[in-house]
Structure formats: C-alpha cells, structure tokens
Amino acid sequence: MKRFWFFPGDPVKKSPADHWLDFVKTVLFLGGSTLCSWLISQAFGGASNVTAIYILSVVLVSRTTSGYFWGILASLAGVVFINFFFTYPFMALNFSLEGYPVTFLIMLFVSLLISALTIQTRQQMNAAALHQERTERLYESNKKLLGVRGAQNIVDLTVEYLYHFSQYPVVFYLEDPLRKGPAAILGAGERETDCICSWEERKTAHNAFAGK
C-alpha cells in the first residue's frame, strides 16, 4: 500500500500571521487616507475630496485583504474618521447636526456596496483562475492516464488527482475492503488514516462494491 503526504499546489489555510497582515494593510490604508485628506485640506482649505479618498481606501482594503470583514471595518472606520477629523466640530464625534445622519448613512451604504462589489469581483476572478487551473490539470491527468500501464500505477495517479481536486483525504480500494486493505491512501495523517480505514468506513465501501 502506498501512502502520499503532500502534493504540490495544496491550498494554504489562513494563518494568524495572514490575519495580522490584513490588519496591518487596513491600518496603513486608513492611516494613509487620513494623512492624505489632512494634507489636501491644509493645502486647498477644504475637505471636499475627503469622502472620495476614504472610499478609495475601502476599495484597496477590500481588494488586498481576505473576506468581507476588513472591507466592512474600513467602511465603518472611514465614516467615523471623516466625522471626527474633517467635519465640524473637529476632533469630536457628532452625528446629530442637521443633515449629518443622512449624509453619513449614504456614505456608509456606498462604501459597503463598493466593498462588497470589489470582494465579489475578486472572488469571481479567483474562481475563474481556479477553474482554468483545474481544467488544465484535468487535461494533463487524462493525457497521463492514457500513457500509464499497470493497475497500481493507474490507482496512484487517479488518487493523486482526486486528492488535488477535492483537497480531502482519499482512500482507494481495488478489491472488497472487507477482504483486502486499500490500494492507496492520499492526504491523510495517522488519525485520519485510522478513521477512513475503520470498520464502519470499510463496511460502507463494501456496500458500494456489493452494489447496495
């Protein structure tokens, strides 16, 4: 029985370091937007472009971080920062002045909408790239299967590609599991191997062999 532990191209799960990196990106974009807005307001004596600058930061955060959380956080923070730094009374939060609630609610809605659309576009691009990669690998696997000889070699190659496409542990039987062990296991550690080779799992595979 062959056992494989790694296949190139496995997706990497988000680690705490990745989440910290997303946090740093969000802080840098919001901080840069605040600094840029302050410089513009000092140079031109107004804050007419502040909203556009913060919306741009929301787009950048949504484009470069993972998930919806950081884009939503940037949208909320942008509204608070504009209110705190660039609207009267300065250096204080005040959403009660006439016209402010509606203005900031509209900005928040626009920011959230742009954030969601940006993230959705990025996800669609990633999905398209993944689909293309899988199509190419499927074509490659078909070519390899045509040139493979021997039952065990065919099993090894098939299991390899099944694991790569599903990213779940794969166990493959050539004969009735209640009579003989698996021909190949891929992507399973010791605990997972014990689970997928347990009596219950082998009984389920036996039922498939028996056509039940």
Side-chain angles (χ1 to χ4, degrees), residues 12 17 19 24 28 66 73 93 98 118 135 145 186:
V12 179
H19 293 300
V24 171
L28 288 177
S66 58
L73 180 64
L93 291 174
E98 184 178 356
T118 302
T135 301
L145 282 172
L186 178 59

Side-chain angles (χ1 to χ4, degrees), residues 27-170:
V27 171
L28 288 177
F29 282 128
L30 290 174
S33 297
T34 302
L35 178 60
C36 184
S37 298
W38 181 81
L39 291 175
I40 291 177
S41 64
Q42 293 298 310
F44 300 101
S48 57
N49 296 317
V50 169
T51 299
I53 293 173
Y54 274 101
I55 289 179
L56 176 60
S57 72
V58 170
V59 173
L60 294 174
V61 169
S62 302
R63 183 66 182 87
T64 59
T65 58
S66 58
Y68 286 88
F69 173 78
W70 298 108
I72 293 174
L73 180 64
S75 301
L76 296 172
V79 171
V80 173
F81 287 0
I82 291 176
N83 182 275
F84 187 82
F85 292 111
F86 302 105
T87 56
Y88 180 86
F90 301 106
M91 307 305 290
L93 291 174
N94 190 338
F95 292 95
S96 61
L97 295 178
E98 184 178 356
Y100 273 23
V102 175
T103 300
F104 286 114
L105 283 176
I106 292 175
M107 180 194 165
L108 178 61
F109 174 77
V110 171
S111 297
L112 291 173
L113 180 61
I114 291 176
S115 173
L117 290 175
T118 302
I119 293 170
Q120 186 178 29
T121 300
R122 186 191 68 208
Q123 291 176 339
Q124 289 174 347
M125 292 173 59
N126 292 340
L130 180 61
H131 176 71
Q132 180 179 357
E133 178 187 357
R134 288 183 171 178
T135 301
E136 292 174 353
R137 288 187 176 274
L138 184 60
Y139 176 71
E140 177 188 349
S141 68
N142 288 336
K143 289 200 303 182
K144 286 186 176 181
L145 282 172
L146 290 175
V148 171
R149 296 293 182 270
Q152 186 62 51
N153 291 331
I154 294 174
V155 168
D156 293 342
L157 185 61
T158 302
V159 169
E160 183 178 307
Y161 279 97
L162 283 174
Y163 170 67
H164 177 72
F165 289 131
S166 68
Q167 294 304 321
Y168 285 100
V170 177

